[in-house]
Amino acid sequence: MKLWKRAVGVLKDKRSIYVAGVSRRTSYRNPHLEAIIIKATSHDDSFVDYKNFQRVYQWARTSPLYMKPLIWSLSNRMDKTRTWVVALKGLMLIHGVICCKIPAIQRIGRLPFDLSSFSDGHTKPNKTWGFNAFIRAYFAYLDQKCFLTFSEIKENNNAKKSSLGEELRRLVTWQSLMDLLLQVRPQGENMRRVGLVFEAMICVVTEVFEVYEKMRRLISQAVARAYEDDHIWPRPGDVEVNLANGIMKKATVQGDELCLFFELCREMGVLNASFSPKVERIPAEEDFRELVRIVDRVSKINTREDEILSLDYEDHDDHQDHGTIVIVDHNYDDEQRDEILLV
């Protein structure tokens, strides 16, 4: 950043801090917290002020009463800025607040500001298009993660146990979230040498591992659920088979994309060259094959039972034509049902 731009940025930050300091305290505005947020999201692209980041997190954890002024101050800052440095620092800050897993934040549903169409207004587009794309992708991921977290909290409040189909659809949603996350990467060679982008990529890589682990837990739950549904009635059908096959194909593609993503991170120095994370398919391929096998077998069982029921009804109709009443007993126990299906 040129010296004159840096000087202008410093003046803007000082002016914003002064305005915050003389403002009136309300339930939505805390001058002291607002000044800390301004310092944390300064115009200086040479470093990230982690000290003030931590001070914001401390305020967030102290009391739910501070969440309103925190959200208001950060949203106001993001809504006004036309500088990619401030926007990126703001996303990193709200990302850290989200990772604090504070109930009040988990219930917001969406990010309290919109950077989906962000464009730097102080530099020529041909020089900042990569930063604009990075910020839009980062925002899209965090916004969707907030929505997904809120949705899962509502589902968890429901005492009803999830079906296999619901478990698989949840896994599809997290695969889509991983797609968004893998889009958060520098688009040009010049961006890879920018310190602020490097710091943001550390946050992104950490998030990749968390989402990866979440997906592994979900596939384990789905496999366990498939075993349960194999012994209950009604059993899974073609919908679950198609979902499982689609997830498995998607997992193969994402495994390749993750390898490329980690290679980029190693080139940037975000990941140590000696640390090469082993990328298993998300989730593990053997688990998926087991899931597909179970669901597919159960689906075939359902189809065979439907054929048996159809034959029973046809037999019933034929006997009715001769004035004979036929009683068909379908109340088999599990052992009798298996014997019938093996015939």
Side-chain angles (χ1 to χ4, degrees), residues 170-181:
R170 185 176 295 115
L171 187 50
V172 169
T173 302
W174 277 89
Q175 281 186 321
S176 298
L177 189 68
M178 178 65 87
D179 280 340
L180 289 176
L181 182 55

Side-chain angles (χ1 to χ4, degrees), residues 154-189:
K154 289 200 302 184
E155 291 177 5
N156 292 337
N157 290 335
N158 187 349
K160 182 181 177 182
K161 191 173 184 178
S162 299
S163 65
L164 175 59
E166 290 170 335
E167 294 282 359
L168 292 175
R169 280 187 283 272
R170 185 176 295 115
L171 187 50
V172 169
T173 302
W174 277 89
Q175 281 186 321
S176 298
L177 189 68
M178 178 65 87
D179 280 340
L180 289 176
L181 182 55
L182 293 179
Q183 295 302 312
V184 187
R185 61 175 72 189
Q187 300 295 324
E189 290 291 336

Side-chain angles (χ1 to χ4, degrees), residues 22-164:
V22 298
S23 63
R24 187 169 59 90
R25 183 188 296 267
T26 67
S27 61
Y28 286 91
R29 195 164 190 176
N30 184 304
H32 186 49
L33 177 57
E34 189 173 347
I36 294 173
I37 290 174
I38 293 170
K39 292 176 183 177
T41 59
S42 69
H43 287 76
D44 190 350
D45 68 339
S46 64
F47 82 111
V48 179
D49 190 349
Y50 285 115
K51 179 181 178 180
N52 279 306
F53 268 51
Q54 292 298 327
R55 293 174 70 186
V56 172
Y57 303 153
Q58 186 176 0
W59 276 76
R61 294 189 186 101
T62 300
S63 170
L65 296 176
Y66 293 130
M67 292 312 304
K68 282 184 179 180
L70 191 159
I71 294 299
W72 184 91
S73 298
L74 184 56
S75 299
N76 187 54
R77 180 80 164 162
M78 294 298 99
D79 290 338
K80 289 181 178 180
T81 189
R82 297 292 305 279
T83 304
W84 72 264
V85 174
V86 176
L88 184 52
K89 286 184 177 182
L91 289 173
M92 292 170 66
L93 182 59
I94 193 65
H95 190 176
V97 173
I98 292 170
C99 291
C100 292
K101 297 182 179 179
I102 301 168
I105 286 292
Q106 292 178 325
R107 292 194 297 268
I108 63 176
R110 295 281 191 182
L111 288 188
F113 50 84
D114 185 8
L115 295 178
S116 60
S117 58
F118 176 83
S119 180
D120 188 283
H122 302 288
T123 311
K124 294 180 180 179
N126 63 333
K127 293 184 178 180
T128 58
W129 68 269
F131 297 102
N132 296 337
F134 189 90
I135 288 168
R136 292 172 186 175
Y138 199 179
F139 167 81
Y141 168 74
L142 292 177
D143 188 53
Q144 188 60 32
K145 183 182 180 181
C146 283
F147 176 75
L148 182 55
T149 301
F150 176 69
S151 300
E152 290 197 339
I153 288 175
K154 289 200 302 184
E155 291 177 5
N156 292 337
N157 290 335
N158 187 349
K160 182 181 177 182
K161 191 173 184 178
S162 299
S163 65
L164 175 59

Side-chain angles (χ1 to χ4, degrees), residues 192-193 198-199 201-202 205 261-275:
R192 300 183 185 185
R193 297 187 294 271
F198 178 88
E199 297 292 338
M201 285 300 294
I202 293 176
V205 169
F261 180 83
F262 286 136
E263 181 62 30
L264 169 65
C265 292
R266 280 192 292 272
E267 291 175 359
M268 290 182 63
V270 177
L271 288 177
N272 192 302
S274 62
F275 172 66

